[in-house]
């Protein structure tokens, strides 16, 4: 029986022109889909689009704003509160109540984690993005431009 060591020097000495045609041509690469990829059903996609459009600021989170069920959802709610988002222009969806929503929102946004924030139907990001934007001031500008902040009281209105 021949060992791998006996064949290795032979193959190393063969010129590239020895191969009658490129290996890629003999074995064309078949595109592979990720194992976790699912196609959203029409109903789920429409439900998510309706949810995203239900308010100017939409957060898909674990739990509710009053009782977040994970630290990242809690942090996202706290950041939105610190920014002064108007509660009348905000809604949240608890993905723990609906498995289809929980998986579907990840596929819809092509973002693997929850929470997920949308402003005026545009996907902003998850908790890490919110924290970064909050720290560098981009989130304040985005929310101000979207006109979703609580209106400041005028000094003479008592």
């Amino acid at each position: 029986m021949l060992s791998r060591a006996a064949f290795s020097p032979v193959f190393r000495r063969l010129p590239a022109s020895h191969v009658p045609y490129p290996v890629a041509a003999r074995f064309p690469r078949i595109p592979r889909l990720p194992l976790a990829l699912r196609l959203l059903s029409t109903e789920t996609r429409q439900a998510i689009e309706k949810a995203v459009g239900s308010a100017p600021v939409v957060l898909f989170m674990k739990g509710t704003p009053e009782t977040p069920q994970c630290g990242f959802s809690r942090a996202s709610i706290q950041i939105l509160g610190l920014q002064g988002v108007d509660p009348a222009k905000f809604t949240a969806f608890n993905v723990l109540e609906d498995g289809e929503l929980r998986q579907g929102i990840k596929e819809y946004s092509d973002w693997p984690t929850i929470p997920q924030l949308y402003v005026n139907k545009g996907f902003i990001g998850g908790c890490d993005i919110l924290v970064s934007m909050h720290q560098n001031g981009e989130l304040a500008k985005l929310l101000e431009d979207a006109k979703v902040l609580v209106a400041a009281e005028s000094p003479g209105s008592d």
Side-chain angles (χ1 to χ4, degrees), residues 23-81:
V23 174
R26 287 188 289 167
F27 303 103
R29 183 166 181 196
I30 299 170
R32 297 178 192 262
L33 298 175
L35 293 177
L37 182 66
R38 282 186 3 188
L39 297 177
L40 282 176
S41 69
T42 304
E43 296 83 21
T44 302
R45 179 172 298 281
Q46 288 173 347
I48 291 172
E49 287 172 351
K50 184 178 178 184
V52 167
S54 65
V57 179
V58 178
L59 183 68
F60 292 90
M61 62 181 291
K62 293 179 181 175
T64 64
E66 297 78 23
T67 56
Q69 297 296 307
C70 85
F72 298 114
S73 292
R74 180 180 310 280
S76 298
I77 288 293
Q78 288 174 341
I79 289 171
L80 294 174

Side-chain angles (χ1 to χ4, degrees), residues 74-151:
R74 180 180 310 280
S76 298
I77 288 293
Q78 288 174 341
I79 289 171
L80 294 174
L82 288 171
Q83 292 290 332
V85 172
D86 186 348
K89 297 179 179 180
F90 169 79
T91 191
F93 291 91
N94 182 0
V95 299
L96 298 178
E97 292 178 348
D98 185 351
E100 190 71 22
L101 174 62
R102 184 176 185 172
Q103 185 60 34
I105 193 64
K106 294 176 185 179
E107 295 170 21
Y108 180 81
S109 64
D110 196 24
W111 192 261
T113 60
I114 294 170
Q116 294 184 11
L117 180 69
Y118 290 78
V119 175
N120 290 332
K121 299 182 183 178
F123 177 64
I124 304 304
C127 183
D128 54 342
I129 303 297
L130 287 181
V131 169
S132 176
M133 291 178 72
H134 172 67
Q135 291 172 343
N136 68 22
E138 290 177 15
L139 186 59
K141 179 160 178 27
L142 173 82
L143 296 172
E144 185 178 337
D145 291 348
K147 300 181 182 351
V148 296
L149 301 177
V150 173

Side-chain angles (χ1 to χ4, degrees), residues 6-20:
F7 276 111
S8 295
V10 173
F11 288 118
R12 277 190 230 138
R13 284 189 299 237
L14 290 176
S17 61
H18 178 64
V19 179

